[in-house]
Amino acid sequence: MSNIKSVATLVVGGGIGGLAAALALAQRGRKVHVIERAPEFKEVGAGLQLAPNASRALARLGVLDSVWKTAVFPQQLVWMDAPSGEHVTSLDLGEKFRGLYKHPYIVMHRSDLLEALLQACQANVNISLETNKHVIDVMDLGDAAEARCADGSAYRCELLVGADGLHSVVRSALVGASEPVCSQYVAYRGTIPMDRMSTHAGVDNVMMWTGPNMHLVQYPVRRGELYNQVAVFRTYNYVPGSDDWGTQEELVRRFADACPDVKDALTMIATNRRWPLFDREPIREWTRGRIVLLGDAAHPMLQYLAQGAAQALEDTLALADAVAEHEHDLARALEKYTSVRRPRTARVQHTARIFGEIIHMEPVGAEVRNELLAHRPGDEFSAVNWLYAA
């Protein structure tokens, strides 16, 4: 193939993980070229929660000040019972929380975070960016790697980073093609102007309303100008290979026994697009030769711990640190990276599944759960310390 461009480091995928990886590697002196399948660098979705481990990573990347301009800093994570409307428990995010973790809990619009990373990449002379590049094949060449695109172009590099998401082509080249695991849950999400916000929540909280096989999450984004809402439920009609499930009708049925505040919120959620929820089992092989995975390409997880973006950000720093430490031995660098990240991300993947089961319990189990949590202090952080302090 004659149309082969040589680059030092190639990042496949220009989402949050891909741009953060480019920035982390470039800040340590590597030349990085990012290719994105879409016509522009753009995030699809709405709100995003960034726990202290994520905001700590953003600080190391040098973009936290930019993120600060559009972020919201909630004071509490509030867990409510969706059928009864009663308070279950809360996690205080104020002074004691920040004192412990040194960084805040942030909520923001996904596109605002991507824009902050994009601007930082555009300002870095070690980074070049290219869109409309659909990678269809990746090859391990031993001391190099190659990515081939649908338009006939190709890129040869000494390090190839697969940050191309849930349906990663790079992952398929490493471990073989496979379908992600469908949780049989689906989400409807979107933002509304703050003046249309339901009266129950307030601008200082992340609200989570849970019930049997469903939940609703609400929080402000973009300086408090918008209100993000996500309704999640288990479908009645899942059939493998079918796309006819998780309908608007099912949404209404699943939330039929919810309290008035939740039902009122549902009337303001966009239903023009549904988002099926997938993850995968943890894998051992994140690398082959000069090819490596990060983010959802390596460890897609269910959203229940709000850690997808956070774990991708952690990946980028661990990868850049390992490459900088072993810059003349990339095989050793990639081995170091995976040995650090594999156990932690696997734990997050499994814990997200378990937490999903806990929040979606049937009434009898939910009653026991709520009673156990009723007297838990809001400033008790032991349950999340392993996640946020790392």
Side-chain angles (χ1 to χ4, degrees), residues 208-287:
M208 179 176 72
W209 305 77
T210 69
N213 299 304
M214 57 82 162
H215 75 272
L216 171 72
V217 176
Q218 304 171 298
Y219 51 86
V221 296
R222 194 164 289 164
R223 298 173 295 270
E225 298 165 9
L226 298 175
Y227 198 56
N228 182 66
Q229 300 195 113
V230 185
V232 177
F233 64 94
R234 184 166 187 168
T235 181
Y236 296 89
N237 301 320
Y238 173 72
V239 177
S242 169
D243 198 45
D244 186 22
W245 53 274
T247 64
Q248 298 175 39
E249 179 186 8
E250 288 187 79
L251 170 69
V252 174
R253 288 172 62 196
R254 274 298 187 199
F255 284 84
D257 294 329
C259 66
D261 283 335
V262 172
K263 286 185 176 179
D264 178 57
L266 291 182
T267 66
M268 295 180 282
I269 290 182
T271 55
N272 59 313
R273 178 174 178 177
R274 82 194 215 296
W275 307 74
L277 303 185
F278 296 91
D279 69 354
R280 292 184 186 270
E281 296 290 342
I283 53 172
R284 287 196 56 80
E285 301 302 322
W286 289 27
T287 67

Side-chain angles (χ1 to χ4, degrees), residues 297-324:
H299 46 72
M301 55 192 61
L302 296 177
Q303 65 183 37
Y304 306 129
L305 296 180
Q307 279 288 307
Q311 292 306 305
L313 292 169
E314 287 187 11
D315 286 348
T316 67
L317 293 172
L319 176 61
D321 287 346
V323 170

Side-chain angles (χ1 to χ4, degrees), residues 16 42-50 58 66-74 106-117 189-193 219-230 275 309:
I16 290 170
K42 184 177 180 180
E43 271 290 328
V44 179
L48 183 67
Q49 299 183 55
L50 298 169
L58 292 173
S66 179
V67 164
W68 228 259
K69 297 174 184 177
T70 58
V72 175
F73 305 90
I106 297 171
V107 292
M108 64 185 307
H109 203 287
R110 295 185 70 91
S111 62
D112 293 338
L113 175 58
L114 189 78
E115 182 62 24
L117 291 167
R189 56 167 65 104
T191 58
I192 59 175
Y219 51 86
V221 296
R222 194 164 289 164
R223 298 173 295 270
E225 298 165 9
L226 298 175
Y227 198 56
N228 182 66
Q229 300 195 113
V230 185
W275 307 74

Side-chain angles (χ1 to χ4, degrees), residues 130-176:
E130 194 173 8
T131 57
N132 285 311
K133 289 295 179 180
H134 177 196
V135 173
I136 58 173
D137 192 22
V138 172
M139 294 181 294
D140 169 28
L141 304 178
D143 60 352
E146 188 171 298
R148 295 182 177 179
C149 300
D151 63 2
S153 61
Y155 299 83
R156 189 164 293 172
C157 55
E158 63 177 11
L159 175 62
L160 189 152
V161 180
D164 49 340
L166 177 68
H167 300 284
S168 169
V169 173
V170 182
R171 178 191 174 107
S172 295
L174 263 62
V175 300

Side-chain angles (χ1 to χ4, degrees), residues 90-110:
S90 298
L91 188 73
D92 295 336
L93 305 176
E95 185 176 346
K96 183 176 179 180
F97 182 88
R98 293 193 188 195
L100 179 62
Y101 298 118
K102 311 304 180 188
H103 288 86
Y105 198 105
I106 297 171
V107 292
M108 64 185 307
H109 203 287
R110 295 185 70 91

Side-chain angles (χ1 to χ4, degrees), residues 8-11 21-23 25-26 30-34 126-129:
T9 301
L10 181 70
V11 175
L23 190 59
L25 289 162
R30 291 193 69 84
K31 294 286 187 180
V32 184
H33 187 68
V34 182
N126 286 331
I127 299 174
S128 54
L129 304 163

